[in-house]
């Protein structure tokens, strides 16, 4: 492919009139290094050296020109320096500061207008001193008229070109802004993705914590059920204790042990409740932090939507400007044929650029729709996360209510345990009283036993004379030992007369004793067994005493006092 020239001549005509000035339009590309020594000359065709110019002028640039950018400008050749009309062809040549030819134009000629055929008549109004208007008829060459019209069209074209350049610059700026917005959106999108992943991780952690809390809750429920069963047992035992207070004396130690276990269980439950309350506070703080992140992401989405709306307004303004440019372009089609051809090329360029711009806008609109869709998806995800957080809050509220219920039940259980403690203390006090009474009874029985032995020693002389005594000994011996069987009647009488409580306790049925023995500890059961054997011996003695009392008393009454 041919290399693109650094300088291009534009709108070069086929003929010029030497009576008027000639404008030479040219474009400098970004590849050309402009210098103030650059010049443009009119050369006759067939020239061989840059010194063979007919006339020249300096190649100027607009104010504010920066090197390395493209620019359009115009050089003017005055009419006094132009060649005379002839059939010789000339061309414009652009020469830089070192004498290098940078561009050549197509050939053109200088000719004079014909006297009558090429003249045009124009009407011009002129104001006089009296205020009246006078019409003047001006006859000018048609070439001059065409040249003036050509200059006007060229000025219009230059204005259109400037407008097009400004539109291009605006399109480029819009592209840059859209690129920056796209990059910003990508960064924000990435940040939102990271925030969503963080939220998901936090949700996963919260779910795990909730699972652990549920497991703890099930453990608490299980322990509560166990404690409830224990409390029901305690209540049942309490009822039995109220019915059989004296038979359940041995269960005091068991109740004390259970009390200690219940206290330990209460302490563990209290510690678990404290841990659950601290965990719930921690979850509440995490929920508040997550809600703050979600509100920030919603505000960022709103700002992005506002930026998209602003870019839509800017694009609509550009469309209106392009529409105005197209209307202005349509007015220039009524000019000269040569200008029409040039404007047609210009319109083709504009249409290509407009098509490219529309394609870019279409792609930009598609990308914007995709960004909107992604933003909606992200917003939906944030809403789902907020719904999930709300459900978790409701679940936490239910957990709080259940915890409050558990605390209330624990309070009631503590009241019941305090009542059980009070009853146990009362039972202990009653047991102490009974033990003291038993000790007194045992002492009294020992006194009675000594008295009966003394009586037996006194009655040992008349043992052969009174067969009833031997009969009593034979009957009482199988039910007791040899030491206690002889004085059982007097012990019975003494105990019956001195301690009515012992006689009442000896009449308790054996079934209640067997029931109480099943719940006692081994030591207490041995004590109860020994007491039961004593009671049985006491009952045997009760059977013997009525037979022994009268003969002994009668014999004592018959014996002399000495």
């Amino acid at each position: 492919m041919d290399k693109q020239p650094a300088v291009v001549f534009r709108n070069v005509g086929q003929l010029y009139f030497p009576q008027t000035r000639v404008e030479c339009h040219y474009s400098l590309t970004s590849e050309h290094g402009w210098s103030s020594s650059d010049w443009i000359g009119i050369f006759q065709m067939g020239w061989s050296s840059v010194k063979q110019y007919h006339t020249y002028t300096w190649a100027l640039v607009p104010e504010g020109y920066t090197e390395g950018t493209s620019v359009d400008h115009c050089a003017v050749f005055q009419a006094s320096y132009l060649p005379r009309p002839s059939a010789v062809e000339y061309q414009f040549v652009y020469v830089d500061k070192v004498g290098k030819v940078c561009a050549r134009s197509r050939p053109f000629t200088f000719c004079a207008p014909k006297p009558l055929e090429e003249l045009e008549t124009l009407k011009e109004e002129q104001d006089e001193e009296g205020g009246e208007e006078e019409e003047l008829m001006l006859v000018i060459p048609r070439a001059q008229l065409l040249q003036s019209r050509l200059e006007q069209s060229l000025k219009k074209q230059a204005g259109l070109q400037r407008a097009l350049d400004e539109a291009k610059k605006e399109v480029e700026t819009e592209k840059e802004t859209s690129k920056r917005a796209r990059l910003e959106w990508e960064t924000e999108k990435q940040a939102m993705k990271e925030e969503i992943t963080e939220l998901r991780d936090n949700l996963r952690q919260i779910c795990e914590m909730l699972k652990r809390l549920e497991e703890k809750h099930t453990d608490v429920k299980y322990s509560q059920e166990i404690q409830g069963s224990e409390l029901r047992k305690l209540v049942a035992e309490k009822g039995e204790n109220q019915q059989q207070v004296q038979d359940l004396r041995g269960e005091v130690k068991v109740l004390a042990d259970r009390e200690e276990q219940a206290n330990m269980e209460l302490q563990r439950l209290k510690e678990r409740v404290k841990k659950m309350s601290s965990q719930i506070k921690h979850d509440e703080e995490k929920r508040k932090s997550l809600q703050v992140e979600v509100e920030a992401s919603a505000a960022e989405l709103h700002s992005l939507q506002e930026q998209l709306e602003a870019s839509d307004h800017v694009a609509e303004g550009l469309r209106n400007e392009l529409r105005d440019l197209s209307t202005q372009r349509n007015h220039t089609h009524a000019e000269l044929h040569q200008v029409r051809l040039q404007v047609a090329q210009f319109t083709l360029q504009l249409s290509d650029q407009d098509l490219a711009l529309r394609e870019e806008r279409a792609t930009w609109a598609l990308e914007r729709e995709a960004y909107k869709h992604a933003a909606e998806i992200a917003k939906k995800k944030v809403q789902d996360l907020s719904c999930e957080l709300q459900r978790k809050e409701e679940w936490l509220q239910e957990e709080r209510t259940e915890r409050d219920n558990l605390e209330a039940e624990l309070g009631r259980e503590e009241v019941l345990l305090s009542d059980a403690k009070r009853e146990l203390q009362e039972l202990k006090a009653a047991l102490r009283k009974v033990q003291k009474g038993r000790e007194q009874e045992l002492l009294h029985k020992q006194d009675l036993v000594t008295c009966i032995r003394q009586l037996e020693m006194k009655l040992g002389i008349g043992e052969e004379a009174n067969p009833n005594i031997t009969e009593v000994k034979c009957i009482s011996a199988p039910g007791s030992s040899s030491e206690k069987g002889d004085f059982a009647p007097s012990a019975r009488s003494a105990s019956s007369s001195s301690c009515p409580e012992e006689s009442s306790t000896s009449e308790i049925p054996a079934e209640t004793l067997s029931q109480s023995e099943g719940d006692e500890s081994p030591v207490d059961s041995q004590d109860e067994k020994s007491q039961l054997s004593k009671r049985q011996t006491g009952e045997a003695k009760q059977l013997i005493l009525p037979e022994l009392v009268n003969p002994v008393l009668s014999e004592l009454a018959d014996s002399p006092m000495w």
Side-chain angles (χ1 to χ4, degrees):
M1 295 178 66
D2 295 337
K3 186 178 179 182
Q4 185 71 21
V7 180
V8 178
F9 288 103
R10 297 184 294 105
N11 304 325
V12 179
Q14 294 180 354
L15 57 91
Y16 291 97
F17 301 104
Q19 289 83 7
T20 59
R21 65 178 186 177
V22 174
E23 293 182 354
C24 176
H25 296 270
Y26 56 94
S27 298
L28 302 178
T29 63
S30 59
E31 296 178 357
H32 178 69
W34 177 82
S35 175
S36 60
S37 301
D38 295 353
W39 54 280
I40 300 171
I42 298 175
F43 288 79
Q44 187 177 353
M45 293 297 294
W47 59 276
S48 59
S49 174
V50 294
K51 295 181 180 179
Q52 295 179 357
Y53 60 87
H54 180 79
T55 184
Y56 74 95
T57 185
W58 299 110
L60 302 177
V61 293
E63 294 181 358
Y65 169 76
T66 57
E67 190 175 355
T69 58
S70 300
V71 69
D72 298 332
H73 203 60
C74 177
V76 178
F77 293 93
Q78 299 297 327
S80 58
Y81 298 104
L82 297 176
R84 294 180 180 179
S86 64
V88 178
E89 292 182 343
Y90 295 90
Q91 67 177 170
F92 296 114
V93 178
Y94 189 99
V95 183
D96 61 3
K97 61 180 180 180
V98 296
K100 180 182 176 182
V101 176
C102 298
R104 300 180 185 182
S105 70
R106 66 180 183 179
F108 56 87
T109 58
F110 290 93
C111 63
K114 294 181 181 179
L116 295 175
E117 294 179 357
E118 299 296 333
L119 295 177
E120 291 288 337
T121 303
L122 296 177
K123 291 183 180 180
E124 185 177 2
E125 294 181 357
Q126 184 177 4
D127 295 335
E128 293 183 355
E129 295 178 356
E132 296 181 356
E133 295 180 355
E134 183 179 358
E135 293 184 354
L136 296 177
M137 299 295 291
L138 295 177
V139 179
I140 60 174
R142 182 179 295 175
Q144 186 176 0
L145 178 61
L146 293 175
Q147 183 70 23
S148 62
R149 290 181 179 177
L150 179 62
E151 290 176 356
Q152 292 176 359
S153 64
L154 289 174
K155 288 180 181 179
K156 289 181 180 179
Q157 187 178 2
L160 290 173
Q161 186 66 32
R162 285 193 298 273
L164 180 62
D165 294 337
E166 291 177 356
K168 285 181 180 178
K169 290 180 181 179
E170 290 178 357
V171 169
E172 289 178 355
T173 54
E174 185 180 357
K175 285 181 181 179
E176 291 177 356
T177 53
S178 63
K179 285 181 181 178
R180 286 195 296 271
R182 188 183 303 170
L183 291 173
E184 291 176 356
W185 168 249
E186 289 292 334
T187 54
E188 291 176 357
K189 183 179 178 182
Q190 189 66 28
M192 288 177 68
K193 284 182 179 179
E194 292 177 356
E195 289 179 359
I196 288 168
T197 52
E198 289 178 358
L199 289 173
R200 285 178 180 172
D201 294 334
N202 291 326
L203 269 178
R204 195 178 297 108
Q205 292 176 1
I206 289 169
C207 290
E208 292 176 356
M209 289 179 182
L210 289 174
K211 286 181 181 178
R212 289 195 293 272
L213 287 173
E214 287 177 356
E215 292 176 356
K216 290 181 180 178
H217 184 62
T218 52
D219 295 335
V220 170
K221 282 185 177 178
Y222 181 69
S223 62
Q224 184 183 1
E225 290 176 357
I226 294 171
Q227 192 174 8
S229 63
E230 290 178 356
L231 283 173
R232 285 193 292 272
K233 289 180 181 179
L234 286 172
V235 169
E237 290 174 359
K238 178 183 175 183
E240 292 177 357
N241 287 328
Q242 288 178 355
Q243 293 177 3
Q244 301 174 359
V245 175
Q246 295 180 358
D247 294 335
L248 298 175
R249 293 169 184 172
E251 294 183 358
V252 175
K253 293 182 179 180
V254 177
L255 290 173
D257 295 334
R258 289 182 180 176
E259 180 187 0
E260 290 179 359
Q261 292 178 0
N263 288 326
M264 292 173 68
E265 189 67 25
L266 278 174
Q267 291 295 328
R268 287 196 295 271
L269 287 173
K270 286 180 181 179
E271 290 178 357
R272 287 182 182 176
V273 168
K274 288 180 181 178
K275 289 180 180 179
M276 287 176 66
S277 62
S278 63
Q279 189 67 32
I280 289 168
K281 288 180 181 178
H282 185 64
D283 295 338
E284 188 72 20
E285 292 176 357
K286 282 190 177 180
R287 183 189 64 79
K288 289 181 180 179
S289 63
L290 288 173
Q291 190 172 4
V292 171
E293 289 176 0
V294 168
E295 290 177 356
S297 62
E300 291 178 357
L301 286 172
H302 184 66
S303 63
L304 286 173
Q305 289 178 356
E306 290 180 354
Q307 290 179 3
L308 288 172
E309 291 177 358
S311 63
D312 288 334
H313 288 303
V314 173
E316 188 64 25
L318 290 173
R319 289 194 194 97
N320 293 327
E321 290 178 1
L322 286 172
R323 198 178 295 112
D324 295 335
L325 289 173
S326 63
T327 54
Q328 291 178 5
R329 182 189 61 193
N330 292 327
H331 289 297
T332 59
H333 286 291
E335 300 297 332
L336 295 172
H337 180 67
Q338 183 178 2
V339 176
R340 287 177 184 174
L341 293 174
Q342 296 174 356
V343 172
Q345 294 176 356
F346 180 70
T347 53
L348 287 173
Q349 294 177 358
L350 279 177
S351 64
D352 293 334
Q353 293 175 357
D354 191 9
L355 181 61
L357 181 61
R358 288 179 181 176
E359 290 176 354
E360 290 177 356
R361 285 180 179 174
T363 55
W364 182 74
L366 291 173
E367 291 176 355
R368 186 184 63 187
E369 291 295 330
Y371 292 154
K372 284 183 179 178
H373 184 64
E376 289 176 357
I377 291 171
K379 188 175 181 181
K380 187 176 180 181
K381 287 181 180 178
V382 170
Q383 289 177 356
D384 294 335
L385 289 173
S386 63
C387 292
E388 186 68 21
L389 285 172
Q390 189 174 3
R391 287 196 294 271
K392 296 298 181 183
E393 287 176 359
E394 292 175 357
W395 185 86
L396 287 172
Q397 188 67 29
E398 292 176 358
E399 289 292 325
R400 290 193 192 98
T401 54
E402 289 180 0
R403 187 190 66 185
D404 295 333
N405 294 327
L406 286 173
E407 289 177 353
E409 289 178 0
L410 287 172
R412 289 194 293 271
E413 290 173 359
E414 287 177 355
V415 172
L416 291 173
L417 285 173
S418 63
D419 294 335
K421 287 179 182 179
R422 188 173 63 254
E423 290 175 358
L424 286 173
Q425 290 176 359
E426 290 175 358
L427 289 172
K428 287 179 181 179
L431 183 61
R432 291 192 191 97
K433 290 180 181 178
V434 170
Q435 287 178 355
K436 288 180 180 179
R438 280 188 177 181
E439 290 174 358
Q440 291 176 1
E441 287 175 4
L442 290 173
L443 293 173
H444 191 59
K445 284 179 181 181
Q446 288 178 0
D447 295 334
L448 289 173
V449 167
T450 54
C451 292
I452 289 168
R453 284 182 180 176
Q454 291 175 3
L455 288 172
E456 285 179 352
M457 290 173 66
K458 289 179 181 180
L459 295 173
I461 301 168
E463 185 176 358
E464 296 177 354
N466 195 353
N468 292 324
I469 296 171
T470 58
E471 186 179 358
V472 170
K473 290 180 179 180
C474 293
I475 293 169
S476 61
S480 63
S481 62
S482 60
E483 295 179 356
K484 296 181 180 178
D486 297 330
F487 53 88
S490 62
R492 170 64 180 170
S493 63
S495 62
S496 62
S497 63
S498 62
C499 185
E501 293 179 359
E502 182 66 20
S503 63
S504 63
T505 54
S506 64
E507 294 176 359
I508 296 172
E511 295 178 356
T512 58
L513 293 172
S514 63
Q515 289 178 1
S516 62
E517 286 175 0
D519 297 329
E520 291 175 350
S521 62
V523 179
D524 296 332
S525 63
Q526 291 177 2
D527 296 332
E528 290 294 326
K529 286 180 180 178
S530 63
Q531 291 176 5
L532 183 60
S533 62
K534 289 178 182 179
R535 288 172 186 172
Q536 289 177 355
T537 55
E539 288 175 358
K541 291 175 183 180
Q542 286 178 4
L543 295 174
I544 300 168
L545 282 174
E547 298 178 356
L548 292 175
V549 171
N550 292 326
V552 171
L553 290 175
S554 62
E555 189 175 355
L556 287 172
D558 295 334
S559 64
M561 295 298 292
W562 60 85

